Amino acid sequence: MPKFTRLTALALCLGLLAGCSTAPGAQQNMSSPEATEAATAQTQQDTRAQSFGLSYQPDAGWNPYTCTRLANRPLISLLYQGLFSVSSQYRAEPVLCQRYSVASDLKAYRFYLAEATFSDGSALTAQDVVASLEAAKGSAVYGNRLSHVTGIRAEGTDCVAISLDTAYENLPLLLDIPIVRASDVASAQPLGTGAYAVAADGAALIRRQDWWSDYPPAVDVQTIALSQTTTPAEIRDQFEFGQTDLVLADPGSAAYVEYRCDYELWDCATGILLYLGCNRSGSSPFSNESVRAALTHGVDRTALAETYRGFAEEAYLPASPEADCYDSTLAASYGYDPSAFSSALAQAGLQNTSATLLVCSDHAVRVTAAQAIADSLSACGLQVTVNALSGEQYQEALEIGNFDFYLGEVRLSPNFDLSAFFQEGGALSYGGISDASTYALCLSALENSGNYYDLHQAVMDSGQLCPLLFRTYAVFATRGTVSQLLPGLNHVFHTANSRQLADARTDWDGPDVTAAPTEQTEPEDAEASSSEP
């Protein structure tokens, strides 16, 4: 269901004007006003059901590994599919993967492909999947989510084998990466296996009549008109005046513009975590572990979410509250309790001491959030000053440890791997946070999701991280134009999948190549050897 809907006076007036117009020479309709309005509404709804439009920024292309423009992501979710999709509850669902198997040590997987085709009619092969996943490694969009992957190889035409350097229980969660034709991985407009293909003139998406799947997409029209655009305001105007029918927007962006028309609205999961990181060394008040651990009690996350226009979920553990690994009972231990933070300061003899909160000034909304945090903590007895630095200066201050604590934002992988924080030399291990024992807990959680409880408890009790919010995007749609829409992670047009992960998992095929070989005695003769099953 949509998050909520709106109807403004402007939209109502436009609807009434449309209902009252009469073509020259046409006989006037003598029906009641109510009947006229109902007929007009039905006509408009029928017309909209046969048409659909999207904005896009042509200069950014729609290569799923390099395109970072939010406006183009809805197109990408219609053109491409992954081995799996990930729902807003962070659950993997099979798409291009027909079935898969995993070795007993959870370090090797085999994925067998569905009989899918690209928009030119060519068959999806294992080589396409290998090329796509290699292109996604370290990309601007998918980051380092495959950092534990040591090998990706094709086994025949319909099987992809993936090996890892650590045990993974939920590797499919990371494989919602769009698959393109192998020869197109560097193209600005690669071919995909989705329900739509780009028209020859680039002005529209065309519904594929030969689409391999019998599962209907969330929008099912013959042609989706594409409107070129350059700015968020232009995207909004195209939507508000009926030129387009769906927009993906970031309410946490400084470029965000308000929408003032009739629409349906959904949240779209992002995996973006807003958090506080502390400097554990030097004269920082947060070198005191009890003060660090109590920091979570000093921030009013409910008020902070309003800074992001409500498009954020309060988080008291370093995982989305929508995910299965988020334990609500454990999270309740770290809720807002300003007296607990004040008490920790007093016991440490740090009441009314000063601290500097570092934030990147390139993100105006984040600076506003930092000031709200500073005000909240100052009311508890820690005198906080916000230090807003430009991107390059901010990054330099993080790397040399020139901060007491900082407000950071990171897009976590769908399995909420925290390795980058705690691994020695990790990309996010600022302020002396790297820790061998916590890193071991990260790997243990990847191996068995039941171990996330221990990881989260250790992180929160030691104050190594202070999670605040998981941000969401906003999906605006013209009323009645999409059905069954359940926006998922990286997939605006996600709908309920009839297949679940358990439906695709099978026993491991063949020898467990990751296990140490067992000692075998030499057969007495060739005949004895050939009798082995």
Side-chain angles (χ1 to χ4, degrees):
M1 291 293 291
K3 183 178 181 183
F4 58 83
T5 60
R6 286 185 183 173
L7 178 64
T8 65
L10 172 62
L12 181 58
C13 289
L14 289 173
L16 290 174
L17 285 171
C20 293
S21 61
T22 304
Q27 183 177 357
Q28 291 191 1
N29 188 343
M30 303 305 291
S31 302
S32 68
E34 293 80 3
T36 301
E37 184 176 348
T40 302
Q42 183 62 49
T43 300
Q44 292 174 340
Q45 185 173 348
D46 292 343
T47 300
R48 299 308 296 150
Q50 299 170 23
S51 64
F52 198 82
L54 291 172
S55 297
Y56 84 111
Q57 296 175 293
D59 61 307
W62 43 76
N63 183 303
Y65 319 125
T66 60
C67 177
T68 58
R69 303 285 180 83
L70 210 56
N72 291 11
R73 298 310 290 185
L75 278 73
I76 289 173
S77 69
L78 290 172
L79 295 171
Y80 308 105
Q81 298 171 291
L83 291 175
F84 301 86
S85 62
V86 177
S87 71
S88 59
Q89 289 77 40
Y90 295 88
R91 294 173 184 159
E93 300 168 344
V95 182
L96 293 176
C97 175
Q98 181 64 30
R99 62 184 178 91
Y100 75 97
S101 57
V102 56
S104 59
D105 65 357
L106 304 181
K107 290 185 178 181
Y109 283 75
R110 287 193 180 107
F111 300 95
Y112 297 87
L113 306 182
E115 294 182 1
T117 58
F118 291 101
S119 56
D120 67 346
S122 60
L124 170 72
T125 69
Q127 288 74 19
D128 297 313
V129 176
V130 171
S132 297
L133 296 183
E134 290 288 358
K137 289 174 69 174
S139 71
V141 180
Y142 296 98
N144 296 314
R145 66 161 64 182
L146 301 180
S147 60
H148 288 291
V149 171
T150 57
I152 307 172
R153 68 184 186 279
E155 293 187 350
T157 60
D158 69 342
C159 176
V160 176
I162 296 181
S163 54
L164 304 122
D165 61 14
T166 192
Y168 258 65
E169 179 188 34
N170 289 318
L171 180 61
L173 271 175
L174 305 184
L175 300 179
D176 62 333
I177 295 168
I179 303 302
V180 307
R181 195 171 59 175
S183 58
D184 293 345
V185 292
S187 169
Q189 302 171 1
L191 295 186
T193 62
Y196 285 82
V198 181
D201 61 2
L205 301 183
I206 306 299
R207 178 74 157 92
R208 289 181 55 191
Q209 299 306 308
D210 65 340
W211 192 38
W212 69 275
S213 175
D214 58 2
Y215 198 75
V219 56
D220 194 3
V221 295
Q222 179 59 33
T223 302
I224 297 177
L226 300 180
S227 299
Q228 296 188 13
T229 185
T230 56
T231 67
E234 189 174 16
I235 292 172
R236 179 203 55 200
D237 291 346
Q238 289 175 348
F239 179 79
E240 290 191 341
F241 288 100
Q243 189 173 345
T244 61
D245 294 282
L246 185 140
V247 173
L248 178 65
D250 181 5
S253 166
Y256 178 74
V257 291
E258 294 287 350
Y259 285 69
R260 304 177 298 271
C261 60
D262 183 28
Y263 54 70
E264 291 180 278
L265 178 62
W266 290 262
D267 281 314
C268 184
T270 65
I272 297 175
L273 170 66
L274 188 76
Y275 69 96
L276 292 172
C278 298
N279 193 336
R280 301 175 60 175
S281 58
S283 58
S284 166
F286 299 106
S287 61
N288 184 294
E289 183 172 333
S290 63
V291 172
R292 281 200 315 273
L295 178 60
T296 182
H297 301 303
V299 181
D300 184 353
R301 292 165 175 81
T302 302
L304 194 62
E306 291 307 309
T307 302
Y308 288 89
R309 301 176 174 88
F311 285 90
E313 291 184 282
E314 303 168 30
Y316 300 89
L317 301 175
S320 169
E322 299 297 324
D324 292 333
C325 66
Y326 190 92
D327 190 291
S328 298
T329 302
L330 178 63
S333 306
Y334 309 109
Y336 182 48
D337 183 0
S339 63
F341 183 59
S342 295
S343 177
L345 288 171
Q347 291 178 15
L350 295 172
Q351 274 281 5
N352 298 317
T353 56
S354 299
T356 300
L357 174 58
L358 180 66
V359 66
C360 181
S361 62
D362 295 354
H363 305 277
V365 179
R366 204 181 305 171
V367 174
T368 301
Q371 189 58 59
I373 293 168
D375 293 343
S376 179
L377 296 178
S378 294
C380 296
L382 182 68
Q383 304 309 309
V384 178
T385 301
V386 174
N387 181 22
L389 300 179
S390 63
E392 189 174 330
Q393 293 175 313
Y394 169 80
Q395 188 62 37
E396 182 181 351
L398 286 177
E399 291 174 356
I400 65 176
N402 186 21
F403 62 91
D404 291 319
F405 64 142
Y406 71 96
L407 180 61
E409 187 175 278
V410 62
R411 188 188 300 272
L412 292 178
S413 58
N415 62 351
F416 305 103
D417 183 8
L418 302 179
S419 297
F421 287 101
F422 303 111
Q423 184 177 16
E424 185 176 355
L428 299 172
S429 58
Y430 306 119
I433 194 176
S434 59
D435 178 83
S437 61
T438 308
Y439 179 58
L441 288 174
C442 291
L443 299 184
S444 180
L446 295 179
E447 179 179 3
N448 187 323
S449 58
N451 294 328
Y452 274 98
Y453 185 100
D454 295 336
L455 170 63
H456 293 165
Q457 185 177 47
V459 168
M460 298 304 296
D461 286 349
S462 61
Q464 290 166 297
L465 279 181
C466 181
L468 301 173
L469 303 172
F470 269 88
R471 297 211 295 108
T472 59
Y473 291 149
V475 179
F476 299 91
T478 303
R479 191 182 304 280
T481 56
V482 291
S483 61
Q484 312 279 325
L485 189 67
L486 297 169
L489 191 69
N490 300 313
H491 190 14
V492 175
F493 287 100
H494 178 268
T495 58
N497 196 328
S498 59
R499 296 183 68 217
Q500 302 302 311
L501 196 62
D503 299 330
R505 183 160 177 165
T506 64
D507 292 334
W508 176 256
D509 292 347
D512 189 343
V513 294
T514 63
T518 56
E519 235 181 84
Q520 295 183 354
T521 57
E522 290 293 328
E524 292 182 0
D525 51 41
E527 185 177 350
S529 177
S530 64
S531 68
E532 292 294 323

